[in-house]
Amino acid sequence: MTFYKAAESYVDMKKNVLSPKTVKEYSEKAKRLPEWFCSLPVSDISQVEINKLVNQLSKGRAPKTVRDYHGFVTAVMGTFYPALRISTTLPQKVKNEPYTPSGEDVRRILDAVKNTEFEVAITLACYGLRRSEICALTPEDVEGDILHINKALVQAADGEWVIKSTKTTGSTRDIIIPEELAEKIKRQGYVYKGAPGNLTKHLDRIEKKLGIEHFSIHKLRHYFASQMSALGVPEADILKMG
């Protein structure tokens, strides 16, 4: 069995256990590995070939990306060739400190999206919601000023967007939102109805237009946590809300 066939089998045996997003990522990793490695019989792969692979992947890729690929390779090898002891020297981790928006940045962005189809979605991101959670919400998830977060919209291996459970069991939660935001969701009849990627692109456009340093929509979760911390909310409660 070649490594590629083993990788396909590994993904297939995990597809009903892992989330659709993870299955998609695993499938893509198998296709993006170098052809010379994928064509090797599993029984012929040694630490030498894995070292060579890591060295090749390290050229032009971030250390975290290389580590992710290596983790996938070791998982496949651990399943189909458990006798092989793998001990690879991996690229040193780089401390990444992405920009976290300030309160002023967020105020300007919320002003820019006011009365648009993106207003509710980006506002909810400021309350600690992930993009996948926002895109899965419906007006039925709003009860008074309580928002029930119990599902996520993710992309499956075939490219289709599917509803699944939240990222972890702890991510299923209820949070309080302003009454005017809850009323707006009920009034307009949706939370966000566009493609998830369009939400990200729109935020990018606004940042450029306003001259705000780039940050992803996920960084609004960091903003939420920092604001709660500044208010003196205990860390355990911040983790629960997020």
Side-chain angles (χ1 to χ4, degrees), residues 61-157:
R61 291 183 176 85
K64 183 182 183 303
T65 303
V66 177
R67 287 172 174 269
D68 287 346
Y69 274 105
H70 182 264
F72 175 67
V73 169
T74 54
V76 174
M77 294 300 294
T79 300
F80 292 95
Y81 191 6
L84 178 64
R85 294 172 61 87
I86 300 175
S87 179
T88 313
T89 301
L90 296 171
Q92 187 173 359
K93 291 181 180 179
V94 176
K95 188 175 182 181
N96 185 20
E97 295 183 354
Y99 179 71
T100 297
S102 66
E104 178 63 15
D105 291 338
V106 171
R107 183 193 65 76
R108 293 174 66 203
I109 286 170
L110 292 178
D111 283 345
V113 298
K114 195 169 183 63
N115 297 322
T116 71
E117 62 179 303
F118 303 99
E119 178 184 2
V120 171
I122 291 179
T123 302
L124 288 175
C126 298
Y127 281 83
L129 274 72
R130 299 175 178 88
R131 189 186 75 170
S132 60
E133 295 168 343
I134 294 168
C135 293
L137 288 170
T138 69
E140 286 68 41
D141 295 314
V142 181
E143 187 176 359
D145 62 352
I146 302 294
L147 182 64
H148 303 295
I149 306 163
N150 51 33
K151 54 189 176 296
L153 182 69
V154 300
Q155 196 169 25

Side-chain angles (χ1 to χ4, degrees), residues 38-239:
C38 288
S39 62
L40 290 173
V42 168
S43 58
D44 287 354
I45 295 175
S46 69
Q47 184 67 62
V48 172
E49 284 73 37
I50 294 175
N51 287 347
K52 182 181 175 183
L53 172 68
V54 168
N55 186 59
Q56 181 175 337
L57 292 175
S58 297
K59 186 177 181 179
R61 291 183 176 85
K64 183 182 183 303
T65 303
V66 177
R67 287 172 174 269
D68 287 346
Y69 274 105
H70 182 264
F72 175 67
V73 169
T74 54
V76 174
M77 294 300 294
T79 300
F80 292 95
Y81 191 6
L84 178 64
R85 294 172 61 87
I86 300 175
S87 179
T88 313
T89 301
L90 296 171
Q92 187 173 359
K93 291 181 180 179
V94 176
K95 188 175 182 181
N96 185 20
E97 295 183 354
Y99 179 71
T100 297
S102 66
E104 178 63 15
D105 291 338
V106 171
R107 183 193 65 76
R108 293 174 66 203
I109 286 170
L110 292 178
D111 283 345
V113 298
K114 195 169 183 63
N115 297 322
T116 71
E117 62 179 303
F118 303 99
E119 178 184 2
V120 171
I122 291 179
T123 302
L124 288 175
C126 298
Y127 281 83
L129 274 72
R130 299 175 178 88
R131 189 186 75 170
S132 60
E133 295 168 343
I134 294 168
C135 293
L137 288 170
T138 69
E140 286 68 41
D141 295 314
V142 181
E143 187 176 359
D145 62 352
I146 302 294
L147 182 64
H148 303 295
I149 306 163
N150 51 33
K151 54 189 176 296
L153 182 69
V154 300
Q155 196 169 25
D158 60 3
E160 291 294 315
W161 290 91
V162 297
I163 297 289
K164 60 172 280 292
S165 58
T166 51
K167 186 174 182 180
T168 65
T169 53
S171 296
T172 298
R173 63 203 186 278
D174 293 342
I175 65 168
I176 298 172
I177 59 175
E179 288 183 4
E180 58 266 30
L181 183 59
E183 289 169 2
K184 185 175 182 67
I185 292 171
K186 291 289 189 181
R187 188 168 61 250
Q188 69 183 21
Y190 64 90
V191 174
Y192 176 69
K193 57 184 179 180
N198 289 343
L199 182 57
T200 301
K201 291 174 184 175
H202 190 69
L203 179 60
D204 289 345
R205 284 195 293 269
I206 291 173
E207 290 166 359
K208 289 176 182 175
K209 181 180 178 181
L210 299 178
I212 294 173
E213 187 170 342
H214 172 71
F215 63 87
S216 68
I217 193 168
H218 192 77
K219 294 302 176 289
L220 289 172
R221 276 173 59 80
H222 298 195
Y223 163 78
F224 164 78
S226 67
Q227 292 299 301
M228 292 298 99
S229 181
L231 291 171
V233 177
E235 185 177 348
D237 291 334
I238 295 174
L239 290 172

Side-chain angles (χ1 to χ4, degrees), residues 1-11 38-40 42 76 80:
M1 179 185 286
T2 64
F3 178 84
Y4 185 77
K5 286 294 183 183
E8 282 189 322
S9 297
Y10 178 82
V11 173
C38 288
S39 62
L40 290 173
V42 168
V76 174
F80 292 95

